[in-house]
Amino acid sequence: MSVTIEDILKLPCLSEARVVAGKNCLQKVLSSVSVLEFSNPNSLQDELFRKNEFCGSEIVITAFAGIADNVEQQCANIRRLAMVGEAGLILYYVGILMPRVDQRLIDLADQLDFTLIVMPENRMDLRYSEVIYEVMEAIIRDQTVENTLVTDVLDRMCRLPEHQRTVDAALRMTRDMIRTSLILVDGQNRALGQANWPMSLELLHEDLPAAQKMKPLQLPNNRTLWRCPLEPESSRGMELLLVKDGNPLSHELVAQVVELIRLVVSLWSQNHAEVHASELVRAILRDEPLKMRRLGALFHIDVASMHAMWVLRPKKEWNGRGEEALHLMRELLRHRCKAVIADRYEGYAVAFMAWKNHEENVFLLGSVLMEQLGAAGIDAVLTQCGSLRDTAEVRRAFLLNHDCLEDAQRIWPERQWFTIEEVDFAHQCRVVLDEGEDTLAKAMHPFRVMSEHGEWQELQRTLEIYLLDAESSVTRCAERMCLHKNTVKYRLGRVAACLGYPVDKEPEKYALYRAAALDRLLAPQ
């Protein structure tokens, strides 16, 4: 048995609360309660969010006090929480701090399968502590009564997005359930993954003493160490170290933990203890720092120096040409980089590199690669990601490209390669579409003004091609439309007359550019 959202709604503290979104997700299993205070998603808060560990399945409490009147930022928080696998949100003080729950917030939560619970409105006598106490009591009591650690964690792992199903995620989930530090090491005592309880604990596995396998060793300060082999028949087998403060773990619970981690390694990290270049690619994209350090040291590669990533995706399927595409990309990059790692990952060909020359013409190289792929009959799309500060940004860029590349292709249908900034622009356009009619109407205002004049469809099409396809070049626009340059100039002049400003005037040009992109996303496919 595991505590679900439906279960906690029966608790006295939530008896008067109402579910306004995500009603089909009430069977999600909960691991803990969290409080969201840094709700204004500025750059500082983004950094705080990145530094915190989110392993999913939490119910989050907030009043959105700092953004009570800002629906767009409220939606941004919902997206962010759903992205890391949180189960839902409990809203306090609606009618006091937040005027009301906007329909856009409800629609977004439904779209993301994210449960949104609203506490009784216009009430100041509500306390966070009541929900925190009763929900955590239910979770802890459930863990005490039922020995279902293995099934609970595996069930929660299966509910996570594919990219979050990692050994590190399982270690964090297990840590939170048994309140114990876990360290996974290989046969040479090198750390493959670690989750400390509490998270702030500084614990180095190299400092832990030797211990008999599967027998507790009492350490100073009322601390107990277990050393448990995962693969007892293998000389290179991994071991799981468990460090518990206070009451020691039972032998039965330790056996469950070992069984669980063995299953997780088998299911979601094939050959976890083996050393392959492809594993380093996976470690970078999954942001597994301990594993990255270990593999980077073995390959003599400074992963921290790699601030660029190329992602190649087939337009349909590789049809057996994926390795050839990867080879062409490697050969193009290896003479221009101090270090390059390239391999296949989840249907993509991915390369990380540290440039020899920081003034390298990346766009020219992208053009060369696409020409080589075209000559080989390989139809693919390239995304170039530069200036990535750390592997967390690498992972976010990869996921952004995974989610939004198709929208970028709809905005620029004739393009074969993109920058991650262009893909992010496509994402921002999708956010506008998702936020409802009012936001969309505001963004499309320039086109609405044009529609009030004659021949507006002709003018609109010319403007879209000029901005999105011709890179604001009258000559290129005329060539694409098979028109004389003077005809294009005349139409752009008509557009300027309608709007009251030249089409290339900043900052108004950005609004026109975004409206043109939104119009393409709104067009039927």
Side-chain angles (χ1 to χ4, degrees), residues 155-339:
D155 180 65
R156 287 170 53 194
M157 289 284 288
C158 290
R159 293 171 185 266
L160 289 175
E162 198 281 336
H163 63 269
Q164 291 183 354
R165 297 175 198 160
T166 65
V167 173
D168 283 352
L171 292 174
R172 292 194 294 267
M173 288 182 187
T174 309
R175 169 201 64 192
D176 292 344
M177 293 183 74
I178 65 173
R179 295 169 291 285
T180 300
S181 297
L182 296 95
I183 308 171
L184 182 64
V185 300
D186 65 10
Q188 300 180 43
N189 202 38
R190 296 177 297 198
L192 299 173
Q194 183 166 346
N196 291 339
W197 179 275
M199 286 171 52
S200 57
L201 177 67
E202 294 184 3
L203 183 65
L204 298 176
H205 74 284
E206 297 94 338
D207 296 336
L208 296 173
Q212 285 186 291
K213 295 179 179 180
M214 294 305 293
K215 289 188 177 181
L217 175 66
Q218 194 65 40
L219 304 179
N221 301 320
N222 197 25
R223 177 175 286 176
T224 308
L225 167 66
W226 287 79
R227 185 177 292 271
C228 312
L230 290 191
E231 300 172 343
E233 302 302 323
S234 172
S235 61
R236 297 196 300 166
M238 293 175 285
E239 291 185 335
L240 183 66
L241 310 182
L242 295 94
V243 181
K244 173 70 172 177
D245 290 323
N247 294 330
L249 300 169
S250 68
H251 193 283
E252 181 183 3
L253 182 55
V254 170
Q256 285 192 60
V257 174
V258 173
E259 178 189 0
L260 167 65
I261 301 304
R262 184 185 293 119
L263 284 170
V264 168
V265 169
S266 174
L267 290 170
W268 286 295
S269 186
Q270 294 294 326
N271 302 316
H272 196 78
E274 298 297 326
V275 178
H276 299 293
S278 59
E279 284 299 307
L280 183 51
V281 170
R282 292 172 65 84
I284 293 171
L285 289 174
R286 293 186 175 200
D287 193 22
E288 298 174 318
L290 282 172
K291 191 174 178 183
M292 276 186 285
R293 287 192 215 107
R294 175 207 170 203
L295 295 177
L298 288 172
F299 284 116
H300 305 290
I301 293 173
D302 181 10
V303 176
S305 70
M306 296 186 173
H307 299 295
M309 172 176 67
W310 283 13
V311 183
L312 201 60
R313 189 180 85 171
K315 286 192 175 179
K316 293 183 180 178
E317 294 181 359
W318 286 118
N319 293 323
R321 309 293 299 279
E323 287 301 322
E324 185 179 352
L326 187 64
H327 173 74
L328 288 172
M329 185 159 61
R330 279 200 194 104
E331 288 301 304
L332 179 68
L333 294 173
R334 67 187 183 94
H335 298 298
R336 297 171 172 85
C337 300
K338 291 181 288 186

Side-chain angles (χ1 to χ4, degrees), residues 8 10 27 30 66 84 113 178-179 193 199 217 253 280 318 342 404 408 422 446 452 475 490:
I8 69 167
K10 300 172 184 176
Q27 296 305 314
L30 300 180
V84 295
D113 290 332
I178 65 173
R179 295 169 291 285
M199 286 171 52
L217 175 66
L253 182 55
L280 183 51
W318 286 118
C404 302
E422 289 167 331
E452 297 172 356
T475 301
Y490 169 75

Side-chain angles (χ1 to χ4, degrees), residues 32 79 108 143 172 219 225 244 304 364 437 445 491:
S32 63
R79 286 191 195 87
L108 177 62
Q143 294 172 359
R172 292 194 294 267
L219 304 179
L225 167 66
K244 173 70 172 177
L364 178 60
E437 292 298 325
H445 176 72
R491 291 182 181 178

Side-chain angles (χ1 to χ4, degrees), residues 308-314 329 333 348-353 355 362-363 366 369-370 373 380-386 388 394 396-406 408-409 415-424:
M309 172 176 67
W310 283 13
V311 183
L312 201 60
R313 189 180 85 171
M329 185 159 61
L333 294 173
Y348 296 84
V350 186
F352 306 98
M353 64 284 287
W355 299 109
V362 176
F363 299 106
L369 177 61
M370 299 315 294
L373 291 171
V381 180
L382 172 68
T383 304
Q384 298 174 318
C385 312
L388 300 170
V394 168
R396 282 195 299 276
F398 180 82
L399 293 175
L400 177 67
N401 187 66
H402 174 78
D403 293 338
C404 302
L405 181 59
E406 288 185 4
Q409 290 177 277
R415 296 274 295 280
Q416 290 183 292
W417 78 93
F418 302 87
T419 65
I420 194 62
E421 288 77 17
E422 289 167 331
V423 176
D424 185 54

